[in-house]
């Protein structure tokens, strides 16, 4: 039996139909990543602004720390979608710095 792709989304509003799991806040997003720490993630969809004062940056910090420690998450592709162009570009720049496969996308 073929492995079901793991598609994670962290977005406060969008439904992300292809996602197998969705987190709505950065706190939920960090927990979701921790659950998948030692598993391959096919796609990770990140929204920069998560409502109110919340943003994706705590999740990005977890990804950065893992890469800094020499144990980056195994992710096929990270898609950054956001109505905030400068926020999205910041996320893309930071993750590229740590050699994660990342690109801007529309959800």
């Amino acid at each position: 039996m073929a492995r079901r792709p793991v598609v994670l989304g962290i977005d406060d509003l969008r439904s992300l139909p292809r996602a197998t799991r969705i987190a709505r806040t950065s706190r939920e997003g960090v927990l979701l990543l921790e659950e998948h720490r030692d598993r391959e993630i096919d796609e990770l969809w990140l929204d920069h602004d998560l409502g109110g004062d919340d943003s994706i940056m705590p999740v990005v910090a977890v990804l950065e720390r893992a890469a800094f420690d020499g144990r980056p998450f195994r992710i096929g592709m990270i898609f950054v979608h956001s109505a905030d162009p400068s926020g999205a570009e910041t996320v893309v720049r930071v993750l590229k710095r740590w050699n994660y496969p990342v690109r801007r996308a529309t959800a």
Side-chain angles (χ1 to χ4, degrees):
M1 188 162 120
R3 181 180 76 83
R4 182 176 179 207
V6 175
V7 179
L8 305 180
I10 305 171
D11 191 304
D12 62 323
L13 298 173
R14 293 176 189 88
S15 61
L16 301 172
R18 294 178 355 118
T20 51
R21 298 272 307 278
I22 296 177
R24 297 296 182 188
T25 66
S26 61
R27 184 169 184 264
E28 289 176 9
V30 168
L31 293 173
L32 187 60
L33 274 185
E34 289 173 357
E35 282 180 41
H36 291 80
R37 181 63 189 104
D38 296 314
R39 295 167 43 194
E40 185 171 339
I41 300 167
D42 296 287
E43 295 179 13
L44 177 61
W45 288 79
L46 304 177
D47 181 16
H48 180 270
D49 299 311
L50 298 174
D53 292 334
D54 197 10
S55 80
I56 201 65
M57 295 317 287
V59 173
V60 172
V62 168
L63 293 166
E64 279 185 289
R65 184 68 196 191
F68 177 80
D69 290 342
R71 291 189 62 232
F73 283 80
R74 294 177 300 157
I75 304 172
M77 180 59 69
I78 300 171
F79 297 96
V80 180
H81 58 276
S82 179
D84 176 353
S86 63
E89 287 306 317
T90 297
V91 173
V92 169
R93 187 173 53 254
V94 167
L95 295 176
K96 279 186 178 181
R97 156 62 179 93
W98 292 104
N99 297 315
Y100 282 104
V102 60
R103 69 177 181 218
R104 285 288 311 270
T106 52

